[in-house]
Amino acid sequence: GAGVSQSPRYKVTKRGQDVALRCDPISGHVSLYWYRQALGQGPEFLTYFNYEAQQDKSGLPNDRFSAERPEGSISTLTIQRTEQRDSAMYRCASSLDSANEKLFFGSGTQLSVL
Amino acid sequence: GESVGLHLPTLSVQEGDNSIINCAYSNSASDYFIWYKQESGKGPQFIIDIRSNMDKRQGQRVTVLLNKTVKHLSLQIAATQPGDSAVYFCAETDNYGQNFVFGPGTRLSVLP
């Protein structure tokens, strides 16, 4: 596609529910990143993939968070048993190559946990 | 819509003046740096990048300066325009991983 596409744009859920956030990167981009951004702060790294391989998941806050990219394209970030503190903007980004290339960001999914 | 940077440091400049936004980093192994611009309701947008083998790089109306000795990065915007109003983030990474670390951000406000 022309840019990084994320869905849904907004997600409101009740505490304890599971949510799945989708990212469709720019076609042909090797690397895909997930970031979380709180109001007034810079994006905080969660995890990234090169092709289908998850290279680094050190930024995932706990084991309720997981991500996959099974075919090396679309990625899903799943949060199980959501908590209010999970409320944030979740941003996906992709880059053409794996060797220190600029990131292209999507518009994000705003998650609100009630 | 989303509001970005409600409590960020703010730099206010007159339209037409030059702006300088600064960023300090702590990882001496960082070797690739990017400046991003983020407007309200949008994702960060790439502005300019620089690798550690350079100390200056110029783009259209923007210049990035890198001082590795003091681990400092700056973004200079010439002839600042109202459309430059946004939050600006620096980001860094090193050869040991691909994890980009973002700075806290600076809000640029352009006064008419």
Side-chain angles (χ1 to χ4, degrees), chain A residues 9-10 31 33 35 37 39-43 45 48 50 56 89 91 97-103 105-107, chain B residues 1-3 5-6 8 31-32 34 36 38 41-44 46 51 89 93-95 97-100 102-104:
Chain A
R9 182 69 178 91
Y10 300 93
S31 301
Y33 300 75
Y35 281 82
Q37 187 172 20
L39 273 178
Q41 298 182 20
F45 172 78
Y48 84 90
N50 286 338
D56 183 349
M89 174 67 78
R91 297 201 185 275
D97 200 350
S98 59
N100 288 356
E101 286 290 333
K102 59 192 177 192
L103 306 183
F105 281 86
S107 296
Chain B
E2 174 203 357
S3 295
L6 293 177
L8 291 172
D31 62 356
Y32 180 51
I34 302 179
Y36 283 93
Q38 188 170 24
K42 297 182 179 179
F46 173 87
R51 298 189 187 273
F89 294 100
T93 190
D94 61 37
N95 264 333
Q98 281 178 246
N99 172 12
F100 281 87
F102 282 75

Side-chain angles (χ1 to χ4, degrees), chain A residues 54-110:
Chain A
Q54 190 171 20
Q55 300 290 336
D56 183 349
K57 54 181 181 179
S58 63
L60 296 177
N62 50 61
D63 61 8
R64 295 185 297 104
F65 287 72
S66 62
E68 62 175 9
R69 194 188 185 197
E71 297 179 0
S73 180
I74 293 169
S75 177
T76 302
L77 176 70
T78 300
I79 309 172
Q80 295 178 307
R81 305 179 303 280
T82 52
E83 301 177 6
Q84 286 186 325
R85 60 178 172 158
D86 300 333
S87 296
M89 174 67 78
Y90 288 84
R91 297 201 185 275
C92 177
S94 68
S95 65
L96 181 61
D97 200 350
S98 59
N100 288 356
E101 286 290 333
K102 59 192 177 192
L103 306 183
F104 294 86
F105 281 86
S107 296
T109 294
Q110 180 68 53

